[in-house]
Amino acid sequence: MTDLDLLHFEQLKKDVQAQYLKEHTPSYDDISKWKGIDIIYFQEDLRKKAKGNISEKSFYTYFKNSPVTKLPRIDMLNLLSIYAGYESWYEFKKQHLFAGELLQENEEIEDEDLKELEKTVSASIELPKEDIIPIKTENRSHEIADLQKSYTDNQTVNINNPSSQITISEPEKPKKNFFRKNAWVLVTAILIIATGLLGFKDVIFQKTYVYCFTDADRNMSIQREIEIKVIKENESPILYRIKPGECFRYATKDKILKMQISSPFYEYLEVSRNLENAPEEEIIELKPDDYKMALYYFSTKDINGGNPEEQLKLIRQKRRQLEDRISDNAVITQVYDSDIYGLETLDKQDYITLMTTPTTSLKNLNVIEMKKDKKGKIVSIKFKISTNENNK
């Protein structure tokens, strides 16, 4: 990547902006100021003309910041180039050459030095042979000669009386007591067993409890993700996410279990169990939240009718239903994937307009949180429209 590539990308962003402005009128002409519904409309037009998509995170990363310090992936560059009217990113650069710029033929090969391969050398080292010096032992035989000589009385008799050597074997020492000899082994074994019991006492003495969840009205397993917060005294809550249709398995040695259970489209529930006499398996019923389900249905209902009159009728019906259920002072928040622009607040009319605009983005709507007042009016909505750059 060169500085010229970054300048080319800034040119491409201007061409993309100009292409969109030919047929649309966003809140601002400057693409870096687009947000919310403007981005959704742009994504829709990108899917329609270039058969591809970019996420909100990528949009905020590369269009909200100018100039950028790094290039997007080559597939995103090609997608934006096609949207702007060029065959590819290479073709766009080719038609916007700067003075003295040389364009590489192969755009996908990065201009980096190849790393040298490490050579593996195996050398055999001959160890010196040890000289074996034989030890010679000499066997000496002791000759005992008993010579008896007869001498005459006049002869001088020399009598050699060699002193006989007597080897006395020392008596064997009594064997040590078995316990004293192996005491350290026994002590070590006891310490290891005690340490193991202390280290794994939670695993040894704990029990596993299984909780499954069903719809109280339909008597069927919950087909939505469930969030469970386990509350312990003097500790921070522990959050568990249970996949649709699965049960919650919790191993503990505690005597009391407190859980806070929440799920999209179901009412919040707190559960407390005395585990001393509680069953190891239990089914918990969750009551559907009619307001959350209704809003989700109104938000995702297909309003593409067979003819313009029918479509307009459905849109008006949908707007009236949302007007009735949402409070005029409702706090409505859209959550984005971007770390920089993570949240955006919408007023009631903007939200209703977004929900009644026939775009494919609404198929990915996810209601994260919803609250209502005592009169049943919705006073808080937090939602997210999930996107995938690979969506066509």
Side-chain angles (χ1 to χ4, degrees):
M1 181 188 72
T2 64
D3 293 338
L4 293 180
D5 290 328
L6 296 176
L7 293 177
H8 280 306
F9 182 59
E10 294 298 326
Q11 289 178 324
L12 178 59
K13 287 162 60 176
K14 292 180 180 179
D15 280 19
V16 169
Q17 173 182 300
Q19 178 65 31
Y20 184 77
L21 292 177
K22 289 180 180 179
E23 301 178 4
H24 301 83
T25 307
S27 302
Y28 300 92
D29 289 344
D30 188 352
I31 195 172
S32 64
K33 297 181 180 180
W34 294 356
K35 59 182 180 179
I37 196 168
D38 292 328
I39 299 175
I40 292 177
Y41 287 156
F42 171 67
Q43 290 175 320
E44 190 74 17
D45 199 42
L46 189 63
R47 283 191 286 267
K48 178 180 177 182
K49 294 180 179 178
K51 308 302 180 184
N53 185 47
I54 63 173
S55 65
E56 283 98 344
K57 183 177 181 180
S58 296
F59 184 89
Y60 278 101
T61 300
Y62 297 109
F63 286 91
K64 286 287 187 178
N65 301 315
S66 184
V68 295
T69 57
K70 64 177 183 179
L71 282 179
R73 300 196 311 264
I74 186 64
D75 57 342
M76 180 176 172
L77 292 172
N78 286 331
L79 179 66
L80 294 173
S81 299
I82 293 172
Y83 178 79
Y86 301 89
E87 293 182 0
S88 64
W89 167 242
Y90 175 81
E91 186 66 25
F92 173 81
K93 291 172 59 177
K94 186 176 180 181
Q95 298 189 29
H96 295 79
L97 290 177
F98 294 102
E101 181 183 5
L102 296 177
L103 197 61
Q104 295 180 354
E105 290 295 333
N106 190 352
E107 187 66 23
E108 295 184 358
I109 298 178
E110 296 182 354
D111 186 16
E112 295 180 355
D113 295 332
L114 297 177
K115 296 181 179 179
E116 294 183 356
L117 299 176
E118 296 182 355
K119 296 181 179 179
T120 305
V121 179
S122 60
S124 60
I125 302 175
E126 184 177 354
L127 296 176
K129 297 180 179 179
E130 295 181 356
D131 295 334
I132 301 176
I133 302 175
I135 301 176
K136 295 182 179 180
T137 58
E138 295 182 354
N139 294 324
R140 297 180 180 178
S141 61
H142 299 278
E143 297 179 354
I144 302 176
D146 292 335
L147 298 178
Q148 294 180 353
K149 292 183 180 181
S150 298
Y151 298 95
T152 61
D153 294 338
N154 296 325
Q155 286 180 331
T156 302
V157 178
N158 295 327
I159 301 174
N160 293 328
N161 292 323
S163 59
S164 60
Q165 297 179 354
I166 302 174
T167 302
I168 301 175
S169 61
E170 295 182 0
E172 292 184 0
K173 296 181 180 180
K175 294 182 179 180
K176 294 182 179 180
N177 183 276
F178 177 80
F179 176 79
R180 295 179 62 186
K181 188 175 182 180
N182 298 279
W184 67 274
V185 177
L186 296 175
V187 172
T188 302
I190 293 172
L191 290 176
I192 292 174
I193 295 173
T195 304
L197 290 175
L198 291 175
F200 295 95
K201 65 178 182 179
D202 290 344
V203 177
I204 295 173
F205 298 106
Q206 70 184 6
K207 292 176 64 177
T208 299
Y209 298 88
V210 181
Y211 297 96
C212 299
F213 305 93
T214 61
D215 188 305
D217 293 346
R218 299 167 180 81
N219 195 27
M220 59 183 297
S221 61
I222 303 296
Q223 298 303 315
R224 294 285 177 179
E225 183 179 88
I226 298 175
E227 288 190 354
I228 299 176
K229 287 185 180 179
V230 176
I231 309 299
K232 288 190 174 185
E233 188 176 357
N234 300 324
E235 293 185 18
S236 300
I238 304 175
L239 178 63
Y240 298 89
R241 286 189 172 89
I242 311 303
K243 295 181 179 179
E246 294 187 358
C247 297
F248 175 49
R249 300 178 183 273
Y250 184 68
T252 182
K253 62 181 181 62
D254 296 338
K255 297 181 179 180
I256 301 295
L257 175 61
K258 293 183 178 180
M259 298 183 292
Q260 296 177 352
I261 305 171
S262 60
S263 177
F265 315 142
Y266 290 90
E267 293 184 358
Y268 170 81
L269 179 65
E270 290 189 1
V271 175
S272 181
R273 292 288 184 271
N274 184 351
L275 299 181
E276 290 183 333
N277 53 14
E280 296 185 12
E281 296 186 9
E282 185 179 349
I283 296 177
I284 298 177
E285 292 185 343
L286 298 183
K287 186 177 180 181
D289 190 320
D290 295 334
Y291 293 93
K292 289 184 180 180
M293 287 189 172
L295 182 59
Y296 178 78
Y297 172 75
F298 296 145
S299 300
T300 58
K301 181 180 178 183
D302 190 2
I303 58 177
N304 292 309
N307 55 68
E309 292 183 1
E310 183 180 352
Q311 182 177 358
L312 182 60
K313 181 180 178 180
L314 289 173
I315 291 175
R316 288 175 179 174
Q317 178 187 359
K318 187 174 177 181
R319 290 189 69 92
R320 285 196 303 270
Q321 291 169 333
L322 293 175
E323 286 277 3
D324 293 339
R325 292 187 176 272
I326 302 175
S327 171
D328 293 337
N329 299 321
V331 178
I332 304 173
T333 306
Q334 182 175 359
V335 180
Y336 292 97
D337 292 330
S338 172
D339 297 332
I340 302 174
Y341 303 91
L343 300 173
E344 182 180 348
T345 302
L346 287 75
D347 60 24
K348 176 180 177 179
Q349 294 304 320
D350 287 341
Y351 178 76
I352 292 176
T353 300
L354 178 62
M355 293 301 105
T356 54
T357 301
T359 66
T360 56
S361 299
L362 292 181
K363 294 181 179 179
N364 299 320
L365 176 71
N366 179 25
V367 180
I368 300 173
E369 182 183 60
M370 184 181 300
K371 297 179 182 179
K372 59 180 182 294
D373 59 15
K374 296 180 180 180
K375 297 180 180 180
K377 287 280 189 178
I378 298 172
V379 295
S380 175
I381 302 172
K382 183 182 289 185
F383 72 97
K384 179 180 178 181
I385 299 177
S386 303
T387 58
N388 188 331
E389 293 185 8
N390 295 325
N391 288 344
K392 300 289 184 179

